[in-house]
Amino acid sequence: MPATQAETSAMERALSLAARGPKGVNPQVGAVILSPTGEVISEGWHRGAGTAHAEVDALSRLPEGSARGATAVVSLEPCNHTGRTGPCSRALLEAGVARVVYAVADPGDASSGGAARLRAAGVDIEPGVLADAGTRLLDSWLSVQRLGRPHVTVKWAQSLDGRVAADDGTSRWITGPAAREDVHRRRTEADVIVAGIGTVLADDPALTARTPEGALREHQPVPLILGRREIPADAALRSHPRPFLHRRGHDLSAVLAELSGLGVHRVFVEGGPTLASAFVRDGLADEMLAYLAPVLLGGGRLALDDIGVSTIRDARRLRTVSIDLLGDDLRVIARPAATAEPTKGE
């Protein structure tokens, strides 16, 4: 049976509740319980790893037996596995819920299947209600599930002839204020910002996200520095509002696996040609964000160095997602051709 108006309104509320929960290893999920006549009788949301899932949180606020015949409206398909908590599908069955409406299917190999289990037990199921809104809410978490690691954006700014600095190493500023403002806005969308120790020693970046007026933005990505050399005691990033991480190993896959375990969804790589090239070479760059300034520098300081391409047959083919004019500069967003898909909001 298609979703009723009461169920659609309840889904809007469930999505709003879900947004209260923290982003992390577990998804943000909200739930609303409706009586058999369509009134809201309970609400809940997931508050982070190890806490009750949204459905269980909502059910726990009801007297025993009062959910019998009710409808559970949930932003994500009820899980079907036992982790730190039991399966929500079982909790809904035990509560006597008669109908479940959800927005987004659970993509997990272990956790999916809740809808099928409920349907097999005679519960009426209505999937995909406000699916677009649910997908937008869970976009970064869904990317992690698909990739098996955080989503990685590799950013650089270059001259029209592909240089990131003049031969004497100077690079401020290749691009104009509109492009730099866009970079700071995109930093605040990331959980972690990555730079190499060489960039830290050469440029002393703050790695903060700031407004055009220079104020710190509300959300700041955690700085992660890669490289064996020590970070100077007076480095600007030591004044960053978030404690920085320093990893001395060169295994980028291991670094991303560690970040995934910490609940990181979005990684923003802004660390110079050596680091950018390493992510591209290892196949770990999901998105390339390049700012092209109408200046010519010549010389040898290229935006990328060795990415494992020795012949044109090995070229890393990309698909252009968007090209935008920012002041006098161009912003180009591209993704590996095999995985490229439209960028929301571009």
Side-chain angles (χ1 to χ4, degrees):
M1 181 182 74
T4 65
Q5 182 56 53
E7 290 168 347
T8 301
S9 297
M11 183 62 77
E12 292 174 347
R13 176 61 177 167
L15 292 168
S16 176
L17 292 168
R20 297 182 182 182
K23 289 186 176 182
V25 176
N26 288 0
Q28 295 169 290
V29 184
V32 175
I33 308 296
L34 299 177
S35 72
T37 54
E39 290 111 8
V40 175
I41 57 175
S42 187
E43 299 178 338
W45 71 92
H46 183 54
R47 292 165 173 79
T51 66
H53 288 193
E55 302 94 316
V56 174
D57 183 45
L59 291 171
S60 70
R61 301 171 190 277
L62 291 171
E64 185 175 353
S66 59
R68 191 160 301 280
T71 295
V73 179
V74 194
S75 57
L76 181 68
E77 177 189 359
C79 69
N80 196 41
H81 80 302
T82 299
R84 296 186 185 181
T85 60
C88 293
S89 56
R90 184 179 68 195
L92 292 168
L93 287 173
E94 291 175 349
V97 167
R99 177 170 162 85
V100 172
V101 177
Y102 66 88
V104 179
D106 190 324
D109 292 335
S111 56
S112 63
R117 178 179 184 176
L118 289 161
R119 186 180 288 111
V123 176
D124 188 36
I125 301 295
E126 183 61 31
V129 176
L130 299 186
D132 288 347
T135 300
R136 284 194 298 273
L137 174 71
L138 292 172
D139 180 57
S140 61
W141 180 81
L142 291 169
S143 291
V144 172
Q145 307 315 301
R146 174 173 56 83
L147 295 167
R149 56 167 175 77
H151 180 278
V152 175
T153 295
V154 176
K155 169 264 174 183
W156 65 83
Q158 66 174 63
S159 64
L160 198 59
D161 56 345
R163 271 64 180 176
V164 293
D167 269 350
D168 66 355
T170 56
S171 61
R172 296 184 180 181
W173 296 100
I174 288 178
T175 54
R180 297 198 297 272
E181 179 184 352
D182 190 68
V183 170
H184 280 269
R185 179 179 65 81
R186 289 173 183 276
R187 284 180 180 180
T188 200
E189 295 172 354
D191 302 309
V192 168
I193 182 169
V194 183
I197 188 63
T199 296
V200 171
L201 297 175
D203 299 337
D204 194 25
L207 300 180
T208 52
R210 294 183 177 271
T211 67
E213 296 74 31
L216 289 171
R217 293 178 182 262
E218 182 177 359
H219 174 73
Q220 296 291 323
V222 173
L224 168 61
I225 309 306
L226 299 179
R228 298 190 183 282
R229 287 176 288 177
E230 294 298 325
I231 298 170
D234 60 349
L237 68 88
R238 291 190 181 275
S239 299
H240 196 285
R242 305 285 298 275
F244 66 85
L245 304 172
H246 186 191
R247 298 294 181 265
R248 291 170 171 79
H250 296 288
D251 188 337
L252 297 181
S253 293
V255 170
L256 291 177
E258 178 189 355
L259 293 178
S260 183
L262 295 174
V264 170
H265 293 180
R266 299 286 188 188
V267 172
F268 195 74
V269 178
E270 195 173 352
T274 299
L275 191 60
S277 300
F279 273 93
V280 173
R281 185 173 57 249
D282 290 357
L284 298 173
D286 304 301
E287 181 175 78
M288 269 59 70
L289 176 62
Y291 297 87
L292 281 65
V295 298
L296 301 174
L297 293 175
R301 294 181 177 263
L302 297 173
L304 294 178
D305 46 44
D306 177 21
I307 59 170
V309 175
S310 58
T311 176
I312 194 66
R313 292 192 306 273
D314 299 331
R316 303 296 180 102
R317 301 291 179 181
L318 308 176
R319 180 176 301 166
T320 302
V321 175
S322 67
I323 301 176
D324 297 286
L325 188 64
L326 301 178
D328 289 330
D329 305 316
L330 285 178
R331 180 188 66 196
V332 178
I333 299 177
R335 294 177 182 158
T339 60
E341 55 189 47
T343 299
K344 298 176 180 63
E346 292 298 345

